[in-house]
Amino acid sequence: MSGTDAVVIGAGIGGLATAVGLTGLGWRVTVLERAAALRPVGSGIGLTPNGVRALAVIGAKQQVMARAIEQTHGGVRRPDGRWISRTDLDFIRRRFGDPVLSIHRAELIDALAALLPAGTLRTGTTAHIGSSGDATRKAVVRTDDGELTADLVVAADGIRSATRRALFPHHPEPRYAGYTSWRMVLRAPDVTVAGETWGRGLRFSILPLPGGLVHCSALAVAPPGSANDQADLVARFGGWHSPIPRLLAMVSEESLLHNDIEDLSTPLPEFHHGRVVLVGDAAHAMTPNLGAAGLALEDATAVMHTVGPADASTVDRMPTAPVRYTRLRRPRSVTLTRQSRRIGAVGCWTAAPAVALRDLGVAAAGLLPSAVTVRALDRLMGWQPSQVDDRIAPQWRTS
Protein backbone atom coordinates (compact mmCIF):
# COMPACT_ATOMS: atom_id res chain seq x y z
CA MET A 1 0.00 0.00 0.00
CA SER A 2 1.22 3.54 -0.70
CA GLY A 3 -0.03 7.09 -0.53
CA THR A 4 -2.83 7.98 1.89
CA ASP A 5 -3.69 4.48 3.06
CA ALA A 6 -5.43 3.63 6.33
CA VAL A 7 -5.99 0.25 7.96
CA VAL A 8 -8.84 -0.07 10.46
CA ILE A 9 -8.67 -3.02 12.85
CA GLY A 10 -12.19 -3.95 13.94
CA ALA A 11 -15.56 -3.46 12.26
CA GLY A 12 -17.58 -2.25 15.21
CA ILE A 13 -19.27 1.14 15.43
CA GLY A 14 -16.08 3.16 15.94
CA GLY A 15 -14.10 1.30 13.30
CA LEU A 16 -16.74 1.47 10.59
CA ALA A 17 -17.58 5.11 11.34
CA THR A 18 -13.92 6.07 11.06
CA ALA A 19 -13.59 4.10 7.84
CA VAL A 20 -16.62 5.87 6.35
CA GLY A 21 -15.29 9.27 7.37
CA LEU A 22 -11.81 8.66 6.00
CA THR A 23 -13.20 7.28 2.75
CA GLY A 24 -15.19 10.47 2.35
CA LEU A 25 -11.92 12.41 2.68
CA GLY A 26 -10.33 10.47 -0.16
CA TRP A 27 -8.29 8.00 1.90
CA ARG A 28 -7.87 4.43 0.71
CA VAL A 29 -9.18 2.38 3.60
CA THR A 30 -9.00 -1.31 4.45
CA VAL A 31 -11.11 -2.61 7.34
CA LEU A 32 -9.98 -5.89 8.91
CA GLU A 33 -12.54 -7.80 10.98
CA ARG A 34 -11.74 -11.03 12.83
CA ALA A 35 -15.31 -12.41 12.66
CA ALA A 36 -16.30 -14.34 9.57
CA ALA A 37 -19.23 -11.98 8.94
CA LEU A 38 -20.94 -8.93 10.41
CA ARG A 39 -23.49 -11.05 12.24
CA PRO A 40 -26.94 -9.53 12.93
CA VAL A 41 -26.56 -9.81 16.69
CA GLY A 42 -26.33 -7.26 19.43
CA SER A 43 -28.69 -5.02 21.28
CA GLY A 44 -30.41 -1.69 21.18
CA ILE A 45 -28.51 1.59 21.25
CA GLY A 46 -29.65 5.01 22.37
CA LEU A 47 -27.92 7.76 20.37
CA THR A 48 -27.91 11.14 22.07
CA PRO A 49 -27.54 14.40 20.07
CA ASN A 50 -23.74 14.38 20.25
CA GLY A 51 -23.72 11.02 18.47
CA VAL A 52 -26.26 12.22 15.91
CA ARG A 53 -24.12 15.27 15.15
CA ALA A 54 -21.07 13.05 14.76
CA LEU A 55 -22.98 10.96 12.22
CA ALA A 56 -23.60 14.15 10.26
CA VAL A 57 -19.86 14.90 10.18
CA ILE A 58 -19.14 11.38 8.97
CA GLY A 59 -21.81 11.71 6.28
CA ALA A 60 -24.09 8.98 7.68
CA LYS A 61 -26.83 10.86 9.53
CA GLN A 62 -29.60 10.42 7.00
CA GLN A 63 -28.86 6.74 6.45
CA VAL A 64 -28.89 5.99 10.18
CA MET A 65 -31.99 8.07 10.96
CA ALA A 66 -33.88 6.12 8.30
CA ARG A 67 -33.32 2.98 10.41
CA ALA A 68 -33.96 4.57 13.82
CA ILE A 69 -36.87 6.01 15.80
CA GLU A 70 -36.94 9.04 18.05
CA GLN A 71 -37.35 8.61 21.78
CA THR A 72 -40.05 11.00 22.95
CA HIS A 73 -40.65 9.99 26.57
CA GLY A 74 -38.66 8.44 29.37
CA GLY A 75 -38.48 8.12 33.12
CA VAL A 76 -37.49 6.14 36.18
CA ARG A 77 -39.72 3.81 38.20
CA ARG A 78 -39.61 1.77 41.36
CA PRO A 79 -39.94 -2.03 41.12
CA ASP A 80 -43.63 -1.76 42.06
CA GLY A 81 -44.23 0.43 39.02
CA ARG A 82 -44.60 3.81 40.72
CA TRP A 83 -42.91 6.55 38.73
CA ILE A 84 -40.06 8.36 40.45
CA SER A 85 -39.67 10.75 37.54
CA ARG A 86 -41.16 11.09 34.05
CA THR A 87 -39.72 13.20 31.22
CA ASP A 88 -40.88 14.52 27.87
CA LEU A 89 -37.69 14.24 25.83
CA ASP A 90 -38.70 16.90 23.32
CA PHE A 91 -36.76 19.42 25.42
CA ILE A 92 -33.56 17.67 24.32
CA ARG A 93 -34.30 18.36 20.67
CA ARG A 94 -35.13 21.98 21.47
CA ARG A 95 -31.92 22.54 23.41
CA PHE A 96 -29.45 20.51 21.38
CA GLY A 97 -30.97 20.61 17.90
CA ASP A 98 -31.15 16.83 17.47
CA PRO A 99 -33.27 14.14 19.13
CA VAL A 100 -32.40 11.03 21.10
CA LEU A 101 -32.59 8.09 18.70
CA SER A 102 -32.94 4.38 19.31
CA ILE A 103 -31.67 1.81 16.86
CA HIS A 104 -30.68 -1.84 16.84
CA ARG A 105 -26.92 -2.18 16.89
CA ALA A 106 -27.04 -4.47 13.85
CA GLU A 107 -28.92 -1.80 11.89
CA LEU A 108 -26.35 0.85 12.80
CA ILE A 109 -23.53 -1.47 11.75
CA ASP A 110 -25.30 -2.29 8.47
CA ALA A 111 -25.93 1.38 7.72
CA LEU A 112 -22.27 2.26 8.20
CA ALA A 113 -20.96 -0.77 6.30
CA ALA A 114 -23.22 0.03 3.35
CA LEU A 115 -21.43 3.37 2.92
CA LEU A 116 -18.05 1.74 2.33
CA PRO A 117 -16.79 1.05 -1.19
CA ALA A 118 -16.85 -2.56 -2.31
CA GLY A 119 -13.80 -4.47 -1.18
CA THR A 120 -13.03 -2.19 1.76
CA LEU A 121 -14.15 -4.68 4.42
CA ARG A 122 -12.26 -7.95 4.88
CA THR A 123 -13.94 -10.34 7.32
CA GLY A 124 -12.39 -13.46 8.77
CA THR A 125 -9.07 -11.66 9.05
CA THR A 126 -7.01 -11.49 12.23
CA ALA A 127 -4.70 -8.48 12.41
CA HIS A 128 -1.78 -7.59 14.65
CA ILE A 129 0.47 -4.57 14.84
CA GLY A 130 3.89 -5.31 13.39
CA SER A 131 5.18 -1.76 13.81
CA SER A 132 3.36 1.37 14.92
CA GLY A 133 5.55 3.57 12.72
CA ASP A 134 6.78 7.06 13.54
CA ALA A 135 7.19 10.49 11.96
CA THR A 136 9.07 9.09 8.99
CA ARG A 137 8.06 5.43 8.80
CA LYS A 138 4.66 3.96 8.05
CA ALA A 139 2.93 1.49 10.33
CA VAL A 140 2.84 -2.23 9.57
CA VAL A 141 -0.14 -4.52 10.17
CA ARG A 142 0.33 -8.28 9.98
CA THR A 143 -2.44 -10.61 8.85
CA ASP A 144 -2.69 -14.26 7.87
CA ASP A 145 -2.51 -13.10 4.25
CA GLY A 146 0.62 -11.01 4.68
CA GLU A 147 1.63 -7.53 5.76
CA LEU A 148 0.01 -4.19 5.06
CA THR A 149 1.81 -0.87 5.39
CA ALA A 150 -0.26 2.20 6.18
CA ASP A 151 0.07 5.90 6.77
CA LEU A 152 -2.48 5.48 9.57
CA VAL A 153 -3.80 2.56 11.60
CA VAL A 154 -7.06 2.87 13.52
CA ALA A 155 -7.36 0.38 16.38
CA ALA A 156 -11.06 -0.27 16.97
CA ASP A 157 -10.78 -3.78 18.34
CA GLY A 158 -12.89 -3.36 21.44
CA ILE A 159 -12.58 -3.60 25.19
CA ARG A 160 -10.10 -6.50 25.01
CA SER A 161 -8.05 -4.72 22.35
CA ALA A 162 -5.03 -6.76 21.33
CA THR A 163 -3.64 -3.60 19.74
CA ARG A 164 -3.84 -1.67 23.01
CA ARG A 165 -2.14 -4.55 24.81
CA ALA A 166 0.66 -4.63 22.24
CA LEU A 167 1.27 -0.89 22.32
CA PHE A 168 0.84 -0.43 26.08
CA PRO A 169 1.91 -3.82 27.47
CA HIS A 170 2.23 -2.65 31.07
CA HIS A 171 -1.07 -0.78 31.25
CA PRO A 172 -3.75 -2.29 33.55
CA GLU A 173 -6.47 -4.26 31.79
CA PRO A 174 -10.15 -3.31 32.16
CA ARG A 175 -11.48 -4.02 35.64
CA TYR A 176 -14.81 -5.36 36.86
CA ALA A 177 -17.17 -2.53 37.78
CA GLY A 178 -19.09 -4.53 40.38
CA TYR A 179 -22.19 -5.42 38.40
CA THR A 180 -23.23 -7.79 35.67
CA SER A 181 -25.52 -7.30 32.67
CA TRP A 182 -28.12 -9.20 30.66
CA ARG A 183 -29.30 -7.84 27.30
CA MET A 184 -31.98 -9.06 24.97
CA VAL A 185 -34.04 -7.85 21.99
CA LEU A 186 -37.66 -9.01 21.96
CA ARG A 187 -40.72 -8.46 19.79
CA ALA A 188 -43.27 -6.43 21.77
CA PRO A 189 -45.02 -3.82 19.58
CA ASP A 190 -47.22 -2.63 22.44
CA VAL A 191 -44.24 -1.53 24.57
CA THR A 192 -43.60 2.00 23.35
CA VAL A 193 -42.28 3.99 26.32
CA ALA A 194 -38.60 3.98 27.23
CA GLY A 195 -37.56 3.98 30.85
CA GLU A 196 -35.56 2.49 33.67
CA THR A 197 -36.61 0.79 36.88
CA TRP A 198 -34.27 1.04 39.87
CA GLY A 199 -34.21 -1.34 42.81
CA ARG A 200 -31.65 -2.20 45.46
CA GLY A 201 -28.51 -2.96 43.47
CA LEU A 202 -30.71 -3.76 40.47
CA ARG A 203 -31.73 -1.86 37.31
CA PHE A 204 -33.91 -2.80 34.37
CA SER A 205 -34.16 -0.64 31.25
CA ILE A 206 -36.61 -0.76 28.35
CA LEU A 207 -35.83 0.84 24.99
CA PRO A 208 -38.35 0.57 22.13
CA LEU A 209 -36.74 -0.03 18.74
CA PRO A 210 -38.06 0.22 15.17
CA GLY A 211 -40.20 -2.59 13.81
CA GLY A 212 -41.99 -3.42 17.05
CA LEU A 213 -38.81 -4.60 18.78
CA VAL A 214 -37.78 -3.76 22.33
CA HIS A 215 -34.30 -3.78 23.82
CA CYS A 216 -34.15 -4.79 27.48
CA SER A 217 -31.12 -4.50 29.72
CA ALA A 218 -30.83 -5.76 33.28
CA LEU A 219 -27.99 -4.84 35.65
CA ALA A 220 -27.33 -6.48 39.01
CA VAL A 221 -24.67 -6.22 41.69
CA ALA A 222 -22.99 -9.64 41.73
CA PRO A 223 -19.53 -11.21 41.94
CA PRO A 224 -17.93 -11.59 38.51
CA GLY A 225 -18.91 -14.77 36.72
CA SER A 226 -21.60 -15.65 39.24
CA ALA A 227 -24.75 -15.06 37.19
CA ASN A 228 -25.31 -15.66 33.51
CA ASP A 229 -28.54 -17.44 32.60
CA GLN A 230 -32.26 -16.83 32.29
CA ALA A 231 -33.01 -18.34 35.71
CA ASP A 232 -30.77 -15.76 37.39
CA LEU A 233 -32.50 -13.01 35.47
CA VAL A 234 -36.03 -14.14 36.39
CA ALA A 235 -35.08 -14.68 40.04
CA ARG A 236 -34.02 -11.05 40.32
CA PHE A 237 -36.59 -9.24 38.18
CA GLY A 238 -39.54 -11.61 37.72
CA GLY A 239 -41.59 -9.95 40.45
CA TRP A 240 -41.21 -6.42 39.17
CA HIS A 241 -43.91 -4.31 37.53
CA SER A 242 -45.54 -4.95 34.15
CA PRO A 243 -44.44 -5.49 31.43
CA ILE A 244 -41.15 -6.83 32.85
CA PRO A 245 -42.42 -10.33 33.81
CA ARG A 246 -44.07 -10.73 30.41
CA LEU A 247 -40.89 -9.65 28.63
CA LEU A 248 -38.79 -12.05 30.65
CA ALA A 249 -41.12 -14.90 29.75
CA MET A 250 -40.32 -14.26 26.09
CA VAL A 251 -36.56 -14.61 26.58
CA SER A 252 -34.76 -17.64 25.22
CA GLU A 253 -31.23 -18.63 26.12
CA GLU A 254 -30.26 -18.01 22.49
CA SER A 255 -31.50 -14.41 22.60
CA LEU A 256 -29.83 -13.60 25.92
CA LEU A 257 -26.47 -11.81 26.00
CA HIS A 258 -24.61 -11.74 29.29
CA ASN A 259 -21.54 -9.69 30.20
CA ASP A 260 -19.83 -8.73 33.40
CA ILE A 261 -19.45 -4.94 33.17
CA GLU A 262 -15.88 -3.71 32.95
CA ASP A 263 -14.22 -0.40 32.21
CA LEU A 264 -10.74 0.95 31.63
CA SER A 265 -10.55 2.53 35.05
CA THR A 266 -6.94 3.61 34.60
CA PRO A 267 -6.90 5.92 31.55
CA LEU A 268 -4.35 5.33 28.85
CA PRO A 269 -1.53 7.91 28.89
CA GLU A 270 -2.21 8.57 25.19
CA PHE A 271 -4.78 7.46 22.65
CA HIS A 272 -2.04 6.96 20.06
CA HIS A 273 1.30 5.28 19.56
CA GLY A 274 3.33 6.20 16.50
CA ARG A 275 0.88 6.22 13.59
CA VAL A 276 -1.73 4.14 15.43
CA VAL A 277 -4.79 5.82 17.00
CA LEU A 278 -7.25 4.03 19.27
CA VAL A 279 -10.99 4.66 19.09
CA GLY A 280 -14.03 3.51 21.06
CA ASP A 281 -13.63 0.84 23.73
CA ALA A 282 -10.05 0.20 22.68
CA ALA A 283 -9.20 3.71 23.89
CA HIS A 284 -11.68 4.39 26.69
CA ALA A 285 -13.85 1.40 27.60
CA MET A 286 -16.60 2.67 29.89
CA THR A 287 -19.60 1.41 31.81
CA PRO A 288 -22.97 1.54 29.94
CA ASN A 289 -24.37 4.66 31.58
CA LEU A 290 -23.50 7.55 29.25
CA GLY A 291 -23.66 6.35 25.65
CA ALA A 292 -20.38 4.76 24.60
CA ALA A 293 -21.58 4.54 20.98
CA GLY A 294 -21.85 8.31 20.77
CA LEU A 295 -18.31 8.73 22.06
CA ALA A 296 -17.00 6.24 19.51
CA LEU A 297 -18.69 8.26 16.75
CA GLU A 298 -17.09 11.41 18.13
CA ASP A 299 -13.72 9.64 17.98
CA ALA A 300 -14.26 9.03 14.28
CA THR A 301 -14.76 12.75 13.63
CA ALA A 302 -11.61 13.56 15.59
CA VAL A 303 -9.58 11.17 13.45
CA MET A 304 -11.01 12.87 10.36
CA HIS A 305 -10.11 16.29 11.66
CA THR A 306 -6.57 15.51 12.69
CA VAL A 307 -5.47 13.61 9.56
CA GLY A 308 -7.48 15.73 7.13
CA PRO A 309 -8.22 14.97 3.48
CA ALA A 310 -6.01 12.87 1.27
CA ASP A 311 -4.09 15.53 -0.60
CA ALA A 312 -0.59 16.82 -1.16
CA SER A 313 -0.28 18.10 2.42
CA THR A 314 -1.14 14.78 4.09
CA VAL A 315 2.50 13.73 4.44
CA ASP A 316 3.26 16.96 6.31
CA ARG A 317 0.31 16.48 8.72
CA MET A 318 0.89 12.85 9.63
CA PRO A 319 3.83 13.25 12.05
CA THR A 320 1.65 15.31 14.43
CA ALA A 321 -1.86 14.06 13.60
CA PRO A 322 -1.96 11.21 16.17
CA VAL A 323 -0.67 13.53 18.91
CA ARG A 324 -3.40 16.05 18.12
CA TYR A 325 -5.97 13.26 18.19
CA THR A 326 -4.99 12.39 21.76
CA ARG A 327 -5.22 16.05 22.75
CA LEU A 328 -8.70 16.31 21.26
CA ARG A 329 -10.17 13.12 22.67
CA ARG A 330 -8.46 12.12 25.88
CA PRO A 331 -9.68 14.87 28.27
CA ARG A 332 -13.35 14.50 27.32
CA SER A 333 -13.26 10.72 27.22
CA VAL A 334 -11.57 10.41 30.61
CA THR A 335 -14.04 12.82 32.19
CA LEU A 336 -17.09 11.00 30.82
CA THR A 337 -15.70 7.57 31.67
CA ARG A 338 -15.36 8.67 35.29
CA GLN A 339 -18.82 10.23 35.27
CA SER A 340 -20.31 7.02 33.89
CA ARG A 341 -18.58 5.03 36.62
CA ARG A 342 -20.07 7.32 39.30
CA ILE A 343 -23.57 6.93 37.85
CA GLY A 344 -23.14 3.16 37.85
CA ALA A 345 -21.99 3.23 41.47
CA VAL A 346 -25.18 5.02 42.51
CA GLY A 347 -27.21 2.37 40.69
CA CYS A 348 -25.35 -0.27 42.72
CA TRP A 349 -26.52 1.03 46.07
CA THR A 350 -28.22 -1.71 48.08
CA ALA A 351 -28.78 -0.21 51.54
CA ALA A 352 -32.41 0.84 51.99
CA PRO A 353 -31.63 4.36 53.34
CA ALA A 354 -29.23 5.07 50.48
CA VAL A 355 -31.73 3.82 47.89
CA ALA A 356 -34.49 5.98 49.40
CA LEU A 357 -32.20 9.02 49.30
CA ARG A 358 -31.28 8.29 45.68
CA ASP A 359 -34.93 7.98 44.64
CA LEU A 360 -35.78 11.20 46.45
CA GLY A 361 -33.03 13.00 44.58
CA VAL A 362 -34.25 11.71 41.22
CA ALA A 363 -37.82 12.70 42.07
CA ALA A 364 -36.73 16.19 43.11
CA ALA A 365 -34.79 16.64 39.86
CA GLY A 366 -37.89 15.58 37.96
CA LEU A 367 -39.84 18.42 39.53
CA LEU A 368 -37.42 21.06 38.29
CA PRO A 369 -38.09 22.97 35.05
CA SER A 370 -36.60 21.21 32.06
CA ALA A 371 -34.36 24.22 31.37
CA VAL A 372 -32.68 23.59 34.74
CA THR A 373 -32.56 19.80 34.54
CA VAL A 374 -31.06 19.69 31.06
CA ARG A 375 -27.98 21.65 32.08
CA ALA A 376 -26.73 18.48 33.70
CA LEU A 377 -26.78 16.90 30.23
CA ASP A 378 -24.72 19.63 28.57
CA ARG A 379 -21.40 17.93 29.21
CA LEU A 380 -22.47 14.88 27.23
CA MET A 381 -25.02 16.06 24.70
CA GLY A 382 -23.68 19.56 24.13
CA TRP A 383 -20.62 18.35 22.21
CA GLN A 384 -20.30 20.20 18.92
CA PRO A 385 -18.05 19.35 15.95
CA SER A 386 -16.43 22.78 16.33
CA GLN A 387 -13.08 21.32 15.32
CA VAL A 388 -14.44 20.46 11.89
CA ASP A 389 -13.27 22.90 9.25
CA ASP A 390 -13.93 23.31 5.55
CA ARG A 391 -11.26 20.75 4.62
CA ILE A 392 -13.32 17.81 5.84
CA ALA A 393 -16.83 16.55 5.26
CA PRO A 394 -18.43 19.88 4.28
CA GLN A 395 -21.64 17.92 3.62
CA TRP A 396 -22.20 17.58 7.39
CA ARG A 397 -24.05 20.88 7.48
CA THR A 398 -26.89 19.48 5.38
CA SER A 399 -26.70 15.73 6.12
Side-chain angles (χ1 to χ4, degrees):
M1 300 175 73
S2 61
T4 46
D5 296 298
V7 172
V8 178
I9 303 175
I13 293 169
L16 289 175
T18 308
V20 171
L22 290 176
T23 299
L25 296 179
W27 283 69
R28 292 188 294 272
V29 181
T30 300
V31 181
L32 306 176
E33 168 57 40
R34 180 176 58 184
L38 299 184
R39 297 183 298 272
V41 297
S43 54
I45 292 174
L47 285 177
T48 46
N50 55 304
V52 178
R53 282 192 292 275
L55 286 169
V57 176
I58 295 160
K61 179 178 177 179
Q62 292 180 345
Q63 292 84 346
V64 172
M65 290 193 72
R67 298 171 181 243
I69 58 174
E70 181 176 347
Q71 291 187 50
T72 57
H73 295 83
V76 180
R77 295 200 235 186
R78 295 184 176 93
D80 62 7
R82 287 180 296 166
W83 287 96
I84 301 173
S85 174
R86 301 188 73 172
T87 306
D88 180 346
L89 297 178
D90 186 58
F91 76 87
I92 290 179
R93 178 191 280 274
R94 293 196 302 270
R95 184 174 182 87
F96 299 109
D98 284 295
V100 178
L101 301 177
S102 62
I103 186 171
H104 196 293
R105 184 181 185 278
E107 290 291 330
L108 177 56
I109 291 292
D110 286 349
L112 293 171
L115 292 171
L116 293 174
T120 299
L121 176 61
R122 301 184 190 177
T123 57
T125 303
T126 301
H128 303 282
I129 292 293
S131 169
S132 59
D134 55 29
T136 60
R137 293 179 302 152
K138 297 185 180 185
V140 177
V141 177
R142 293 174 178 155
T143 76
D144 296 337
D145 298 323
E147 292 187 348
L148 302 174
T149 59
D151 300 274
L152 174 73
V153 175
V154 179
D157 46 348
I159 188 170
R160 294 294 174 188
S161 171
T163 308
R164 182 184 66 232
R165 194 177 306 116
L167 299 180
F168 301 94
H170 304 297
H171 193 82
E173 287 292 296
R175 71 168 188 180
Y176 185 52
Y179 50 104
T180 195
S181 166
W182 297 264
R183 292 170 294 150
M184 64 227 80
V185 175
L186 308 169
R187 182 164 296 282
D190 60 312
V191 179
T192 59
V193 177
E196 290 197 359
T197 302
W198 289 7
R200 297 175 62 175
L202 300 169
R203 285 186 287 163
F204 195 97
S205 67
I206 296 174
L207 178 68
L209 300 173
L213 299 177
V214 175
H215 162 75
C216 298
S217 172
L219 301 172
V221 175
S226 63
N228 58 19
D229 60 16
Q230 185 179 8
D232 293 312
L233 182 62
V234 172
R236 286 172 166 82
F237 300 95
W240 284 23
H241 66 80
S242 176
I244 293 175
R246 174 166 61 89
L247 292 171
L248 294 180
M250 300 166 59
V251 177
S252 65
E253 291 291 349
E254 294 75 21
S255 66
L256 191 61
L257 300 175
H258 173 261
N259 297 99
D260 287 337
I261 300 300
E262 298 177 322
D263 69 351
L264 202 61
S265 55
T266 302
L268 286 173
E270 294 91 22
F271 287 179
H272 75 280
H273 190 287
R275 294 194 178 214
V276 181
V277 296
L278 293 91
V279 304
D281 283 347
H284 46 76
M286 62 191 295
T287 56
N289 300 297
L290 277 182
L295 291 186
L297 293 169
E298 291 180 23
D299 289 346
T301 71
V303 175
M304 293 170 63
H305 170 68
T306 53
V307 304
D311 57 25
S313 63
T314 303
V315 174
D316 296 329
R317 290 193 301 271
M318 285 311 299
T320 60
V323 176
R324 290 186 288 121
Y325 171 75
T326 285
R327 291 174 180 171
L328 273 177
R329 294 305 299 159
R330 189 178 183 277
R332 172 170 170 80
S333 300
V334 170
T335 296
L336 291 178
T337 297
R338 290 171 175 166
Q339 184 177 345
S340 182
R341 189 182 308 127
R342 289 193 294 269
I343 293 172
V346 171
C348 289
W349 289 353
T350 57
V355 170
L357 182 63
R358 177 196 66 194
D359 293 353
L360 181 63
V362 173
L367 295 174
L368 294 174
S370 61
V372 175
T373 307
V374 77
R375 291 194 186 105
L377 304 177
D378 281 351
R379 178 175 289 173
L380 173 66
M381 299 187 189
W383 174 87
Q384 294 285 349
S386 56
Q387 67 269 33
V388 176
D389 57 32
D390 289 336
R391 295 177 307 158
I392 71 171
Q395 73 271 20
W396 78 272
R397 297 179 181 84
T398 58
S399 294

